[in-house]
Amino acid sequence: MATVVERERKYSGDEGFRLPDLTGCGGVVTMSDATVSDLDAVYWDTDDLLLLRSGHALRRRTGGHDAGWHLKVGAVGGARVEHRFPAGASDDGPPPELVALIRAASRGRPVAPAARVVNRRRERGLLDADGRVLAEVAEDDVRSEDLVDGTERAWHEIEIELVEGDEGLLDVVGERLHAAGARDVAVSKSHRAVAARIERFDDQEPDGPAGQVLAYVRAQRDAIVGNHAAAYQGGEDAVHDMRVATRRLRATLRTFRGLWDRRESETLRAELRELGGELGRVRDTQVMAVRLTDAVHELPDDLVLGPVAARIRERFAADLAEATAALRSALDADSYPALLTRLDRLADGPPADVGRRWVERRVRRAVRRADRRLDRALATTGPAGDAALHEARKKIKAARYAVEVREPAAGKPAARLVKRFKALQNLLGTHQDSVVTREALRRQALQAYADGENTFTYGLLHARQAEAAGHDRPAVLRARDRARHRKVRRWLKRG
């Protein structure tokens, strides 16, 4: 299975629209001759179009240079990740490899043919002076059929997809197309094919004081779904973003727990903690491997005694393989789509009827809780102090997430406090990284000793980590004071 990042923009034109000359746009010197191809794609989805509604498009396409199964993830108009799988001898349904990547979006439910899109494509390359293809421009004459209700549509569409060019080229080409009468298209071909059906499922934006909380919960749920495919494959950024989304959800369900049935929200928090734990094993292993490898490479050669770098690579490669397998097992389990389905009910259903002040009080309470926990941690010394600072960091994260809930309504004052909390959180994170790294080095040294290898370098790295941790405290105190400045928090007391 191949994975590519697609950066494109779509436009439509009225009957008789002519593609303008695009030379002179962002380094484009010439346009290649057009190649013509006939594309025939069947899009698969659940009966209520969950894939499409989650920003996914799953299709089986014939014709063109990349015939086969395609899964696109992401919003039209931005960078979309496309997973490609070659067509097989039997194409009665998507291959298991792609089914695993859509389990979050489909909530584990079966998919079936939803729409057919037939396309006559005329494609040209936009070349620079060296003959490099900066982008490809495609003119599509499209016919579609909704395979459920039979609705047929036809339209003309223009796609500009980057190859070796940059986003600035897309902007300039877009201006040229607008001047020629083209209009932006914000949805995919599959979306247009089932437009009548998908309108029935348009989600209403939550309103009222609790709407801020619901909108935040929905955003984190969508982040889990949107990052699932890449996280399943071990993508570092996706694993990180998915893990953060679980943290934000857990904190929000606790901070505003009076909005929902207590038993259900606590059950969800527990299951999100388990999912976040599996994501954390992968992410922490990825980060630790890079951190220790870099630390070894920064040492002079005469201070690296024994096969230190090789042992670190071996140890963390094995740990990462084990953690990734455990994560995939969790994402393959029936409990995972069930969790997302219950989260849907919580995020999309009506919460308790509360007033604006109820929400504001919960935000202030989360902030005060973080303040108290940090003060106690800073008054604690030794190993217990390290553990206390780690717990304080968790409370600071929860306070930051609570303020993020209010940020759309409160504006810049809330954004400023979020920024100050993030700076404080990062400093405490650096301290915790040092604690975890020292323990990893200690275990690595013990194994090296048992194997009869020199442990000097591990001890040296351990000492350097301990020394660096000693410099954290003054910076933490300064960041704490900045996060508590009267001007930064004044807005919290309003109302």
Side-chain angles (χ1 to χ4, degrees):
M1 181 164 53
T3 301
V4 298
V5 177
E6 176 187 82
R7 294 175 295 165
E8 67 177 19
R9 295 184 190 174
K10 297 176 178 286
Y11 303 87
S12 64
D14 295 328
E15 186 175 353
F17 175 84
R18 299 294 182 187
L19 184 70
D21 182 6
L22 297 177
T23 58
C25 292
V28 176
V29 172
T30 186
M31 298 174 63
S32 69
D33 294 335
T35 59
V36 180
S37 55
D38 291 309
L39 311 176
D40 191 339
V42 174
Y43 287 82
W44 291 59
D45 212 324
T46 62
D47 55 3
D48 53 356
L49 302 173
L50 278 173
L51 297 189
L52 195 54
R53 291 160 58 194
S54 298
H56 293 58
L58 175 63
R59 72 186 179 200
R60 165 69 169 86
R61 190 166 77 179
T62 58
H65 61 85
D66 59 349
W69 286 95
H70 303 159
L71 171 64
K72 293 189 178 185
V73 181
V76 172
R80 305 179 79 192
V81 177
E82 181 174 324
H83 307 274
R84 298 174 179 172
F85 199 88
S90 174
D91 284 315
D92 295 335
E97 292 86 348
L98 287 183
V99 172
L101 300 187
I102 64 170
R103 290 194 83 232
S106 69
R107 307 303 192 264
R109 291 163 50 188
V111 294
R116 183 185 182 194
V117 175
V118 179
N119 180 15
R120 167 59 66 93
R121 169 164 290 184
R122 294 180 298 278
E123 193 168 46
R124 298 170 179 265
L126 304 183
L127 285 63
D128 67 6
D130 296 324
R132 293 186 309 145
V133 180
L134 301 178
E136 292 175 340
V137 54
E139 295 183 87
D140 294 335
D141 291 318
V142 187
R143 291 181 292 110
S144 72
E145 178 188 4
D146 187 319
L147 298 177
V148 174
D149 68 14
T151 300
E152 296 183 353
R153 300 176 186 275
W155 66 91
H156 185 70
E157 187 170 289
I158 304 97
E159 286 187 6
I160 310 295
E161 182 174 353
L162 287 181
V163 180
E164 295 189 55
D166 57 24
E167 294 290 334
L169 174 61
L170 291 180
D171 294 336
V172 176
V173 170
E175 293 173 1
R176 186 75 59 89
L177 292 174
H178 287 151
R183 299 181 301 276
D184 293 335
V185 173
V187 296
S188 64
K189 291 180 177 66
S190 56
H191 190 288
R192 295 179 77 166
V194 297
R197 275 201 296 146
I198 202 168
E199 287 178 359
R200 306 173 200 165
F201 303 106
D202 279 351
D203 296 325
Q204 296 294 321
E205 287 295 324
D207 56 11
Q212 305 165 45
V213 184
L214 287 183
Y216 192 77
V217 169
R218 288 183 181 184
Q220 307 320 312
R221 173 202 59 191
D222 294 346
I224 291 176
V225 173
N227 284 289
H228 166 87
Y232 189 89
Q233 296 175 310
E236 294 185 9
D237 290 342
V239 169
H240 170 74
D241 291 346
M242 195 170 172
R243 181 191 191 186
V244 170
T246 65
R247 285 174 170 171
R248 284 188 163 114
L249 280 170
R250 287 173 51 210
T252 303
L253 292 176
R254 185 183 190 282
T255 299
F256 304 98
R257 58 189 172 189
L259 289 177
W260 306 282
D261 176 79
R262 182 70 169 270
R263 179 178 297 177
E264 176 66 5
S265 64
E266 287 302 304
T267 299
L268 282 171
R269 287 188 70 241
E271 293 182 5
L272 287 165
R273 182 184 298 111
E274 291 182 10
L275 176 59
E278 298 296 349
L279 292 161
R281 282 184 62 196
V282 174
R283 182 58 180 161
D284 290 346
T285 304
Q286 292 169 336
V287 171
M288 185 62 68
V290 173
R291 181 180 298 123
L292 289 181
T293 299
D294 289 347
V296 173
H297 288 162
E298 289 170 2
L299 292 175
D301 291 344
D302 61 337
L303 296 181
V304 180
L305 305 184
V308 179
R311 293 292 181 262
I312 288 173
R313 284 195 302 272
E314 292 168 3
R315 179 264 175 95
F316 284 103
D319 287 353
L320 182 57
E322 181 181 339
T324 301
L327 173 59
R328 287 183 175 175
S329 179
L331 298 180
D332 285 334
D334 292 341
S335 57
Y336 173 59
L339 163 65
L340 292 173
T341 299
R342 297 203 334 272
L343 189 55
D344 289 336
R345 289 197 293 268
L346 183 142
D348 299 330
D353 186 13
V354 298
R356 177 175 58 86
R357 292 189 177 184
W358 185 93
V359 174
E360 293 172 348
R361 282 198 300 271
R362 265 77 191 159
V363 176
R364 289 195 294 268
R365 185 179 299 170
V367 171
R368 289 196 298 268
R369 188 182 296 120
D371 289 345
R372 291 194 298 268
R373 185 61 66 91
L374 179 58
D375 287 343
R376 288 201 298 269
L378 289 171
T380 307
T381 58
D386 291 335
L389 286 174
H390 182 49
E391 292 302 314
R393 180 177 180 238
K394 294 179 182 178
K395 297 301 181 185
I396 290 167
K397 286 181 181 179
R400 171 190 162 193
Y401 301 153
V403 174
E404 285 178 348
V405 169
R406 292 276 295 130
E407 188 174 343
K412 290 183 178 180
R416 189 177 301 115
L417 181 54
V418 167
K419 186 176 180 180
R420 300 286 175 89
F421 272 141
K422 187 175 181 179
L424 180 56
Q425 168 193 323
N426 287 344
L427 284 169
L428 293 173
T430 299
H431 180 86
Q432 178 63 15
D433 289 344
S434 170
V435 173
V436 174
T437 302
R438 278 178 276 163
E439 175 58 23
L441 286 166
R442 188 185 72 83
R443 293 196 303 269
Q444 205 60 22
L446 289 173
Q447 184 61 53
Y449 179 80
D451 294 339
E453 296 175 355
N454 196 308
T455 63
F456 170 82
T457 302
Y458 299 110
L460 175 61
L461 291 173
H462 188 286
R464 290 191 171 190
Q465 287 291 327
E467 181 183 10
H471 298 306
D472 290 344
R473 187 180 181 87
V476 169
L477 292 173
R478 289 192 298 270
R480 178 201 63 181
D481 294 342
R482 283 174 55 79
R484 296 183 184 181
H485 197 282
R486 178 174 56 84
K487 290 183 179 180
V488 176
R489 297 199 177 185
R490 182 185 301 155
W491 67 277
L492 280 171
K493 300 179 181 178
R494 295 171 186 166

